[in-house]
Amino acid sequence: MTSGLAGLRVFVAEDEFHVLQLIEDMLVDLGCTVADSVSSVRTALDRAATIEAHVAVLDVNLRGKPIFPVAQILRDRGIPIVFSTGYGAAGIEPEWQAYPVIQKPFAIDGLGAAIARIAALARPAAAPRSRSP
Amino acid sequence: MTARVNMADARATVIPDRGLVPLEEILCTEELWRQPQRSPDHETENRALSKLVDALSRSPRTILQTLADTLLEVFKSDSAGMSLLTDGDASFYWAAIAGAWSPHLGGGTPRDFGPCGDVLDCGRPLLFKHWERRYPYLAEATPLAEEGLLVPFYVSGKAVGTIWTIAHSHRRRFDSEDLRQLESLARFASAAYQAVQLLDGQEASRAALESMEAAARSKQQLEAIVETTPECIKIVAPDGTLLQMNAAGRQMVEATTSREIEGASVLDLIAPENRAMWNECHQRVCKGEKLSWEFDIVGLKGARRHMETHGSPIRLPDGTVAQLAITRDVTQRRQDELKIRESEHRFRQLLQSLPAAVYTTDPDGRITFYNEAAVEFAGRRPALGELWCVTWRLYNGDGTRLPHDECPMAVALKENRPIRGAEAIAERPDGTRRWFAPYPTPLQDSSGRLTGAINMLVDITERKESERQQKLLIDELNHRVKNTLATVQSLVAQTARSTEDVDEFQRAVEGRILALSRAHNKLSERRWADAELGELLRSGLEPYLAKGNVVLSGEPVHVPPRVALMMSMAVHELATNAGKYGALTSSEGRIDVTWGAKANGAGLRLRLCWLEQNGPPVLKPTRQGFGIVLLERGIQTELGGKTRVEFSPAGVRCEIDIPLAGEEE
């Protein structure tokens, strides 16, 4: 599949296995690479500090814990973020409401458009510090 | 300026039908009842009467002036006085005046053309307004009368004069209570008038009395006064013997002639329980004190009445000191008071018994009453006189502080209107908070004047809490539905990737959705708190259990929803694989499923073992199918567990090990 997103490395945080699989498959279909996927906030905090990614797709709530501390690290590192949620936009804290939010269940086009939008906004500042060749 | 109004002049210069305003133009009697109502001031009235009776017994010559002075004092008016018919009933003269009009003492008005004459013609009290508009001669009686209230008085049914009170400015408006008191004093005026007449008569006949004071003390004079006064007037000897009682008194004690009672002990007429008290007061009066008290009498025919008496000492001709008492029947007043007290008591009892918090305030917002439900609601016992509300602290629905003087009750009082539809939060001294709906309502008396307010605080905390719960529940339901749809979306996508044709796809995707649905059923039974693993497995493997191919053994383990859903899916994949390639393809095949929960250092772990035997030889699959991915990566990703799957030739063996609690990721 060809899209403007080919080659983007995506960091995924999602605690529902089936949904994670779906997102990963969609990303692959969009031509992206899954940089890493995590299913708990603790692991996500670890990885966020060092992950080499162009975009992050974050479920707002992993096993009852809000993802925002993770989003904070990624924002500080200049990595654009797309939130996914089953709660609707009301579950997003006010300071994050400018970011794209995709509602579960979503189709590949919705995910692709959200990534394209935030990646375009963030580029070129959002380029990772060290990109894989 | 002292313009003495001469009645002869008045008669000479005024001709009744010449261009004057009609009588109605200067009358405004009905205004008396339009003034704000006030309750009867019996205390002032009784003090005045008591003082007058005392003055009458001491100094009858000056009693008319004393009466005028008393009128001025009682009514706090500008002028007051008494007019008496004279000159063969052709005119009135002002026999006593107090206040601003004092210089006009001795003046007067014609009988047929003046306010006093109007009052006698009408035979009832009248309130005048600027009478000089009809009676020009009164323009000389300055200061001019803004309002004048006149009451007629009578002796033996014949009108003899009026008493009056005047306001020279708008400062003082007379009302119905003034009228009531003036009428009461008019009865005394009648008695005083007779006393003076008697004295004048004796003076004129040069009776051999040494002085007027001595004459006033004589039994004969007192009899005349006493007999005609409408209040009960009696003289009681120190030993309690009733020396004299007037007609009004005889009527009160149900005697038809004075012989029935005079000479007997007055104590027989006093209600037994009041006799000792009455006699004690009587003895004090006979020793020179002036006293007022209340007691019950029982009439000769048995009727009980409640009396209020004012006793003054009086020296009898023989030198002994007796009691002169003016006594009035206050049975009605007392019954009214009791009725009011009773109705207030009932009202309070009613409020007290209500389960809702209720309190009342005066017009300034000071608390005058609260019920026990209010104490319970507020978590504190307020002091009477506190302002606006029984609660400790108030907050608006958005959590901001609500000052007490801006609370709905304060608004209701300040704007004199009931407030409805408000909601607020009350904080108790112990820090707990309750939502409530207040219903503050201003209270008015019969004339519409604000007398206070009543407020009811209805606790709506439970409603608010259930509204919050309901919102949470709807949010949660929404979340679950969305996640389930996303899961189904994923199952469909994953199944499509691993099936060859539409029939196979449909069977596989149906099987997976139904496995998910069975787990949902078990979780719903326990309101999504948890599910019992054995039940989940039995429900998922039901078709095989009946044939005896599958044996389950394990202790009851309650697992949370995430574990229940994942384990159901995992077992479904294992069973499907066994039915396609493993132990469930032959009747000899057997599967043992064993499980248990064990405490392990940090927490509880669940271990489940799936062991296939007696099936066809097992071949290691060539590609990572949906089932293997779910078992290995799914269990790990979603539950933080580990799965080991062995495709040994004797049969598939799968071990699942997951943390249940305590191992927080």
Side-chain angles (χ1 to χ4, degrees):
Chain A
M1 180 161 182
T2 55
S3 79
L5 309 177
L8 286 183
R9 288 172 56 82
V10 183
F11 176 53
V12 183
E14 171 59 60
D15 64 344
E16 300 250 1
F17 166 66
H18 297 289
V19 180
L20 175 61
Q21 268 200 310
L22 186 69
I23 293 174
E24 287 181 354
D25 286 348
M26 285 179 177
L27 287 172
V28 169
D29 287 350
L30 287 166
C32 301
T33 310
V34 177
D36 199 356
S37 56
V38 293
S39 56
S40 74
V41 170
R42 201 182 68 179
T43 320
L45 284 169
D46 280 351
R47 306 285 160 81
T50 53
I51 189 77
E52 287 175 14
H54 300 97
V55 175
V57 176
L58 308 178
D59 185 355
V60 295
N61 199 302
L62 298 186
R63 302 188 193 170
K65 288 186 179 161
I67 197 73
F68 302 108
V70 177
Q72 185 73 54
I73 296 172
L74 294 169
R75 184 172 64 182
D76 291 347
R77 293 185 57 208
I79 298 174
I81 298 164
V82 171
F83 290 107
S84 76
T85 177
Y87 281 107
I92 309 288
E93 287 179 1
E95 67 164 305
W96 299 100
Q97 278 172 2
Y99 287 77
V101 178
I102 47 174
Q103 306 269 345
K104 295 180 197 175
F106 47 80
I108 185 166
D109 298 344
L111 177 65
I115 293 174
R117 195 182 123 210
I118 195 72
L121 277 177
R123 227 174 255 154
R129 281 165 204 167
S130 59
R131 184 182 290 212
S132 303
Chain B
M1 188 182 112
T2 61
R4 173 159 292 216
V5 180
N6 186 295
M7 51 196 164
D9 289 353
R11 244 179 311 171
T13 54
V14 170
I15 297 160
D17 295 319
R18 205 183 341 146
L20 299 165
V21 300
L23 178 59
E24 304 84 67
E25 286 285 305
I26 59 166
L27 284 182
C28 55
T29 313
E30 65 284 358
E31 293 284 326
L32 294 171
W33 288 274
R34 295 207 186 112
Q35 301 301 321
Q37 298 287 304
R38 49 191 176 114
S39 51
D41 186 0
H42 295 292
E43 203 189 321
T44 306
E45 181 190 351
N46 290 339
R47 253 203 322 272
L49 276 172
S50 177
K51 189 173 143 193
L52 286 169
V53 169
D54 188 49
L56 183 62
S57 67
R58 282 175 197 280
S59 175
R61 284 247 40 113
T62 57
I63 190 64
L64 298 186
Q65 186 57 42
T66 306
L67 176 64
D69 293 340
T70 305
L71 291 174
L72 193 73
E73 187 188 321
V74 166
F75 295 103
K76 296 187 173 57
S77 54
D78 303 312
S79 297
M82 175 190 252
S83 302
L84 293 176
L85 270 174
T86 188
D87 198 14
D89 289 355
S91 59
F92 292 93
Y93 80 100
W94 295 331
I97 303 182
W101 266 24
S102 313
H104 304 309
L105 185 70
T109 57
R111 168 67 182 85
D112 54 2
F113 192 66
C116 288
D118 294 334
V119 168
L120 293 199
D121 288 344
C122 295
R124 61 184 171 85
L126 296 176
L127 180 67
F128 293 87
K129 207 175 189 69
H130 283 290
W131 40 39
E132 72 281 0
R133 286 179 294 147
R134 176 169 167 84
Y135 304 118
Y137 62 87
L138 283 171
E140 290 175 50
T142 54
L144 293 178
E146 184 65 37
E147 281 191 359
L149 180 61
L150 277 66
V151 172
F153 68 92
Y154 305 86
V155 170
S156 310
K158 180 186 178 298
V160 292
T162 66
I163 58 171
W164 35 265
T165 178
I166 294 173
H168 296 305
S169 72
H170 289 293
R171 181 187 62 84
R172 182 70 169 92
R173 305 293 298 272
F174 297 115
D175 63 15
S176 55
E177 169 61 10
D178 291 317
L179 173 63
R180 192 191 65 76
Q181 293 205 20
L182 195 59
E183 285 186 302
S184 169
L185 288 164
R187 287 198 288 274
F188 179 84
S190 167
Y193 171 79
Q194 292 170 72
V196 172
Q197 286 291 94
L198 200 63
L199 289 173
D200 284 350
Q202 282 169 339
E203 201 171 15
S205 68
R206 301 177 197 287
L209 288 168
E210 285 179 18
S211 69
M212 294 305 135
E213 269 65 29
R217 285 188 211 109
S218 79
K219 191 163 181 287
Q220 189 193 2
Q221 289 155 13
L222 279 168
E223 261 172 30
I225 299 162
V226 159
E227 194 57 26
T228 51
T229 304
E231 311 290 352
C232 164
I233 292 183
K234 63 181 182 288
I235 300 173
V236 185
D239 67 356
T241 304
L242 182 65
L243 299 178
Q244 247 189 306
M245 185 181 262
N246 67 348
R250 288 198 296 275
Q251 204 177 350
M252 288 176 198
V253 301
E254 300 172 308
T256 38
T257 64
S258 47
R259 260 183 306 236
E260 285 176 77
I261 44 171
E262 283 178 8
S265 172
V266 78
L267 285 167
D268 294 342
L269 298 166
I270 314 269
E273 70 273 17
N274 291 151
R275 277 176 199 162
M277 177 270 290
W278 192 94
N279 196 40
E280 191 189 319
C281 295
H282 174 61
Q283 294 309 322
R284 284 168 60 187
V285 172
C286 292
K287 289 195 176 89
E289 271 187 76
K290 279 189 290 175
L291 288 177
S292 299
W293 70 93
E294 292 184 23
F295 61 97
D296 278 9
I297 59 165
V298 179
L300 295 178
K301 291 172 186 158
R304 185 176 269 263
R305 292 167 195 262
H306 190 69
M307 314 299 286
E308 178 190 77
T309 193
H310 307 277
S312 299
I314 185 167
R315 192 171 293 277
L316 298 179
D318 64 3
T320 59
V321 177
Q323 181 196 175
L324 168 65
I326 176 162
T327 309
R328 37 183 29 206
D329 183 347
V330 294
T331 311
Q332 190 59 43
R333 189 183 92 196
R334 190 163 130 107
Q335 276 170 356
D336 290 350
E337 281 170 3
L338 284 175
K339 248 184 246 169
I340 290 168
R341 221 175 297 162
E342 176 65 19
S343 102
E344 274 178 5
H345 178 71
R346 270 213 309 274
F347 174 66
R348 291 193 168 212
Q349 247 185 343
L350 182 75
L351 291 182
Q352 198 58 266
S353 66
L354 285 177
V358 173
Y359 69 95
T360 59
T361 69
D362 66 12
D364 300 324
R366 295 189 184 283
I367 295 171
T368 50
F369 167 82
Y370 54 82
N371 65 2
E372 286 306 305
V375 173
E376 197 181 324
F377 175 77
R380 62 189 290 265
R381 189 168 288 280
L384 293 181
E386 271 182 34
L387 277 169
W388 308 122
C389 192
V390 293
T391 55
W392 175 242
R393 281 183 186 149
L394 289 173
Y395 297 87
N396 294 303
D398 63 6
T400 56
R401 190 73 182 269
L402 173 61
H404 270 138
D405 62 357
E406 293 170 20
C407 74
M409 181 65 153
V411 175
L413 272 164
K414 289 172 184 175
E415 298 179 9
N416 196 359
R417 64 186 176 93
I419 308 284
R420 294 292 181 267
E423 288 182 355
I425 300 163
E427 188 179 55
R428 296 163 167 162
D430 67 6
T432 56
R433 292 187 177 194
R434 306 293 292 177
W435 273 92
F436 69 96
Y439 293 82
T441 308
L443 299 172
Q444 284 116 12
D445 65 13
S446 53
S447 66
R449 193 167 44 173
L450 182 70
T451 58
I454 183 164
N455 197 1
M456 178 168 74
L457 310 180
V458 178
D459 192 329
I460 56 168
T461 310
E462 278 172 26
R463 194 190 87 201
K464 284 282 173 184
E465 180 58 21
S466 90
E467 280 172 9
R468 198 184 65 86
Q469 288 283 355
Q470 196 171 17
K471 186 178 179 306
L472 274 181
L473 210 64
I474 287 169
D475 285 351
E476 185 55 32
L477 177 70
N478 207 18
H479 178 230
R480 284 221 178 111
V481 167
K482 292 276 174 63
N483 269 354
T484 303
L485 287 174
T487 301
V488 169
Q489 180 193 18
S490 176
L491 289 179
V492 168
Q494 303 301 314
T495 307
R497 281 166 197 264
S498 59
T499 49
E500 305 292 328
D501 59 56
V502 175
D503 286 347
E504 190 193 350
F505 165 77
Q506 189 189 344
R507 261 197 313 281
V509 87
E510 251 176 22
R512 284 165 184 158
I513 289 172
L514 289 175
L516 191 64
S517 166
R518 278 192 296 271
H520 274 215
N521 286 346
K522 290 292 158 197
L523 285 166
S524 292
E525 283 170 16
R526 295 187 47 85
R527 295 174 177 241
W528 282 77
D530 56 27
E532 205 278 300
L533 184 63
E535 276 185 35
L536 284 170
L537 297 177
R538 267 189 291 281
S539 132
L541 300 169
E542 206 177 356
Y544 314 110
L545 291 173
K547 292 180 196 157
N549 299 96
V550 179
V551 179
L552 304 179
S553 62
E555 65 201 62
V557 182
H558 287 270
V559 295
R562 298 173 69 87
V563 175
L565 290 169
M566 207 62 201
M567 291 303 283
S568 296
M569 300 289 287
V571 167
H572 170 74
E573 293 304 319
L574 285 167
T576 305
N577 184 67
K580 264 186 179 169
Y581 314 108
L584 294 179
T585 55
S586 72
S587 53
E588 293 81 36
R590 174 187 165 98
I591 303 174
D592 284 290
V593 186
T594 53
W595 68 89
K598 277 206 176 65
N600 175 16
L604 198 64
R605 295 192 78 90
L606 170 67
R607 285 204 177 86
L608 180 138
C609 181
W610 172 282
L611 183 62
E612 295 184 24
Q613 286 170 303
N614 300 340
V618 169
L619 299 174
K620 201 172 166 85
T622 50
R623 64 184 177 95
Q624 286 257 307
F626 176 91
I628 287 292
V629 174
L630 178 104
L631 282 164
E632 291 181 338
R633 212 182 147 208
I635 297 279
Q636 197 248 319
T637 307
E638 194 152 329
L639 306 179
K642 280 177 231 143
T643 307
R644 202 156 58 91
V645 188
E646 281 174 33
F647 294 91
S648 63
V652 172
R653 180 188 173 90
C654 176
E655 283 176 38
I656 299 172
D657 178 0
I658 53 170
L660 276 187
E663 289 191 11
E664 188 64 21
E665 251 197 281

